[in-house]
Amino acid sequence: MGSLHHEQMLSRTVNKFFHTNTPHIPPLQLTNAYEVRRKILLLKPRASPGEDGITTVMLRHLSKKALSFLTRIFNHLLQKSYFPSTWKRATVIPIPKPNKPPSDPASYRHISLLTTVSKLFERIIAHRLVTYISHQHLLPNEQFGFRRKHSTVSQLSRITDYITNGYNLHKHTGMVSLDIEKVYDTVWINGLLYKIPTYLIYILKSFLTDRSFTVRLTDTSSTPKTTPSGLPQGAVLSTTLFAMYISDMPPPHTPN
């Protein structure tokens, strides 16, 4: 009952925000051709394209005029806080797992293909989101996943230091590990938007809502299906948004 009450209260707060506020306070930072070019170079050159067939190699060979036109499109979208619906359609490719019965849906690993242009636009948005998160120190120091200059090796070293320190103090050290199944599917959009900076809320809301996908097997595709919640697999923004979503989890206890 307490959890349901919390969700209802949070939903009312988020809905009230969108009905009483206007976007771009402060204005969303626009992009330029230089930033767009740099973000193109960060895209994986061999990544499979989405339904539009546009590849990273194509974007890398854009002329100055085409790059300028693409930059104007991105700036218009940033000003309108809008993420195009065609960029929110994913193509899901089921890959069979070895030695698994083909009739069982759980026997497949699903690869979600998004359009390359949408990933490029995401990187531009992600740069603004990560900059805000860093300046405001919104992620706890214990959060190592999906962050620059943080790695598994650094986290293991940190845990080893805790254990060694406890051993030197003649104390026992315990650790509880959690494996969250289908982590992106468990993300509740209202709970996520409540943590996002004001000037990014509107475009991220547009990015997260009304997403859809089709499943493609050989030459056959399913009818489109909508995804009412969760973060899109393969999306550039998903890792940072997931880190934000779990940022208020209780920090681990450290030995004295």
Side-chain angles (χ1 to χ4, degrees), residues 127-172:
H127 175 73
R128 287 142 182 77
L129 177 61
V130 171
T131 299
Y132 183 92
I133 291 172
S134 177
H135 288 171
Q136 299 298 322
H137 306 287
L138 297 182
L139 291 181
N141 293 330
E142 295 79 12
Q143 172 65 36
F144 276 69
F146 317 122
R147 299 179 69 183
R148 293 185 63 184
K149 299 182 180 180
H150 291 68
S151 67
T152 304
V153 174
S154 300
Q155 184 70 295
L156 290 174
S157 176
R158 176 172 167 269
I159 294 173
T160 302
D161 287 342
Y162 288 160
I163 296 174
T164 302
N165 186 37
Y167 179 81
N168 292 335
L169 295 174
H170 305 288
K171 293 182 178 180
H172 296 285

Side-chain angles (χ1 to χ4, degrees), residues 16 36-37 57 118 120 150-151 189 199 214 221:
K16 181 180 178 181
V36 174
R37 173 68 72 185
V57 175
S118 72
L120 176 59
H150 291 68
S151 67
I189 291 179
Y199 75 105
T214 58
S221 297

